[in-house]
Amino acid sequence: MRNQRRRTANAASAIAVLALLTTGCGAGENEEKPLPETAKGSLEQLAAKVECEPNIQTDAKELRQANCRTDDGRYVLATFATDRGQREWINEAKDYGGAYLVGRKWVAVGDRKVVTALRGQLGGTVETSSHHSGESGGKGDGEEHSGHHGS
């Protein structure tokens, strides 16, 4: 019984040491910048935050969509009149694969590198999907289509 307690205590100590080692005892190493609060605003306001001159493709009451290009690459920026409209659009768009940066009533779609860079400026949540899988939340590590998202 005493040996079993000692082994349990040793295992707990080893786990605690391992946890300390993996949480980065070297302060300052690999620190990531904190994400900004998720951006809000019109399509033009969001585009201005990421220094994009939006090329408007769709200008409707329920959906505004533009193509953008930055130093990180091309992407589609879309804003929505309703949360429901946004979710339906994202669910349909995921059939084409890609990475999606999602904010409140807006989404940016592009390859992983572009979406990651945009997240550092706009905040939001990244969602991905496997190319043409029809599933949501897949790995999405291939080239994405950004021009198939009409409504």
Side-chain angles (χ1 to χ4, degrees):
M1 184 76 123
R2 188 186 291 175
N3 285 340
Q4 186 177 5
R5 278 192 224 141
R6 190 176 299 151
R7 276 186 259 149
T8 303
N10 287 340
S13 295
I15 290 170
V17 169
L18 184 59
L20 285 173
L21 290 173
T22 59
T23 57
C25 358
E29 290 180 27
N30 298 325
E31 285 184 21
E32 292 184 26
K33 293 191 308 187
L35 290 174
E37 185 174 321
T38 301
K40 297 176 185 171
S42 69
L43 187 136
E44 289 80 7
Q45 290 168 329
L46 294 168
K49 287 183 186 208
V50 292
E51 300 176 0
C52 160
E53 184 67 40
N55 179 2
I56 305 291
Q57 301 297 306
T58 304
D59 193 3
K61 181 180 177 181
E62 54 283 333
L63 167 71
R64 297 193 70 226
Q65 181 174 302
N67 292 330
C68 284
R69 179 184 294 272
T70 64
D71 291 341
D72 295 304
R74 293 180 349 178
Y75 60 97
V76 172
L77 183 61
T79 57
F80 305 87
T82 65
D83 293 325
R84 181 178 177 183
Q86 176 189 24
R87 181 48 49 196
E88 289 173 356
W89 186 94
I90 291 169
N91 290 343
E92 283 187 35
K94 281 186 175 181
D95 287 345
Y96 297 101
Y100 301 80
L101 180 60
V102 180
R104 177 85 196 281
K105 295 186 183 176
W106 62 265
V107 64
V109 185
D111 67 27
R112 188 81 151 141
K113 174 186 169 193
V114 174
V115 167
T116 300
L118 290 171
R119 187 174 189 215
Q121 297 171 294
L122 296 174
T125 304
V126 175
E127 297 183 22
T128 58
S129 178
S130 296
H131 183 66
H132 292 284
S133 70
E135 299 174 21
S136 59
K139 296 195 175 158
D141 48 7
E143 272 290 305
E144 291 82 18
H145 294 261
S146 60
H148 295 325
H149 312 294
S151 192

